[in-house]
Amino acid sequence: MKLFVYHTPELTPTDSVPDCAIAVDVLRATSTIATVLHAGAEAVQVFSDMDQLMQLSADWPAEKRLRAGERGGAKVEGCDLGNSPLDCTPERVKDCRLFISTTNGTRALQRIEAAPSVLAAALINRQAVVNYLLETNPETVWIVSSGWEGSYSLEDTVCAGAIADGLLARSSLSAKELAGNDEAIAALALYRHWKDDLLGLLHHASHGQRLLRLNCHEDLKYCSQTDILEIVPRQKQPGVLVK
């Protein structure tokens, strides 16, 4: 297995796809996707364009439909939800389809949707993703960080490092053997430095600071936890993820 880490969707190769591609948006799209599927949602359908989300979701039964929209960390007007995983309770989402569009995370998922296997990962479901990779043993794996509007993000990189660390802990591979690029080594080093204070790292992250200004303190606490959900969101068809 070779693991490649890309800091933004735009940095991924355009002439190839991996055996398995993993989108990461710790703050907060992939954390929300994992949470909503764990809470009993039927599926999550992702969109980069809000108008397209509104148009396609209109064909879905209203009682089985939830629209989630976020731009700049804030809820989009006219949506049922923003991008907070804490809003995704079983009472609210069970048996519904969540139609979601976010500033960064949905772009990452759409960039990798052509891969044979597409997953969504966050810190909260890190070990479940690691277990899936060890069971399926894909030859090439891309971890694609969502970043923030095309720029590097600490929180997504530390999650990539957490996945790498989990793989190394359960396999005979060395870091040198696992890493497909320098970014994978850097992500691993970042995680190992901050693994005992991930909430502190999220407070340092520029997007974490944006969310703090929006009074999303509890979201940061939730998203900084590791291995609390045993769920792997997987792409069923382009743009649609199920557990």
Side-chain angles (χ1 to χ4, degrees):
M1 186 188 302
K2 277 290 185 184
L3 181 70
F4 298 80
V5 173
Y6 298 101
H7 294 317
T8 67
E10 293 78 12
L11 292 174
T12 57
T14 57
D15 58 352
S16 63
V17 294
D19 298 303
C20 179
I22 305 171
V24 174
D25 185 10
V26 170
L27 297 175
R28 293 166 288 173
T30 55
S31 296
T32 296
I33 289 168
T35 300
V36 76
L37 289 174
H38 183 263
E42 174 263 336
V44 177
Q45 190 163 349
V46 301
F47 298 84
S48 57
D49 182 80
M50 278 302 306
D51 290 337
Q52 186 183 30
L53 182 156
M54 291 296 187
Q55 181 181 354
L56 292 181
S57 62
D59 296 330
W60 207 259
E63 69 276 10
K64 296 292 185 180
R65 174 189 72 210
L66 285 169
R67 292 164 168 156
E70 170 267 322
R71 291 294 183 270
K75 176 183 170 183
V76 173
E77 186 177 354
C79 288
D80 304 296
L81 303 169
N83 191 21
S84 173
L86 299 180
D87 291 336
C88 301
T89 61
E91 295 78 14
R92 193 164 198 180
V93 307
K94 185 173 174 57
D95 297 328
C96 290
R97 175 167 294 205
L98 183 73
F99 296 84
I100 186 170
S101 179
T102 71
T103 305
N104 303 292
T106 48
R107 285 172 41 253
L109 280 162
Q110 291 191 325
R111 169 63 190 91
I112 61 176
E113 65 183 13
S117 176
V118 174
L119 314 178
L123 290 167
I124 57 175
N125 71 327
R126 184 276 305 254
Q127 191 59 53
V129 171
V130 167
N131 294 341
Y132 178 86
L133 292 174
L134 291 170
E135 290 166 7
T136 57
N137 195 30
E139 186 173 341
T140 55
V141 179
W142 291 0
I143 300 180
V144 181
S145 301
S146 298
W148 175 261
E149 296 184 342
S151 298
Y152 173 90
S153 68
L154 283 170
E155 67 275 10
D156 294 344
T157 305
V158 83
C159 183
I163 294 170
D165 188 71
L167 289 169
L168 292 171
R170 299 263 316 274
S171 73
S172 59
L173 292 172
S174 67
K176 182 178 179 181
E177 290 168 330
L178 177 66
N181 59 3
D182 287 356
E183 291 90 334
I185 296 293
L188 180 63
L190 182 70
Y191 172 70
R192 288 179 171 175
H193 182 79
W194 283 94
K195 63 181 181 179
D196 296 323
D197 188 18
L198 291 171
L199 179 58
L201 178 68
L202 266 57
H203 278 250
H204 280 285
S206 57
H207 191 40
Q209 293 175 35
R210 291 183 193 95
L211 292 175
L212 289 172
R213 289 193 292 271
L214 292 168
N215 296 315
C216 297
H217 302 78
E218 295 303 315
D219 276 21
L220 262 67
K221 289 180 183 178
Y222 178 80
C223 294
S224 69
Q225 299 175 96
T226 52
D227 310 335
I228 62 170
L229 300 183
E230 294 183 6
I231 189 167
V232 181
R234 287 179 277 182
Q235 182 174 262
K236 178 182 179 182
Q237 60 193 70
V240 179
L241 295 103
V242 298
K243 64 180 181 180

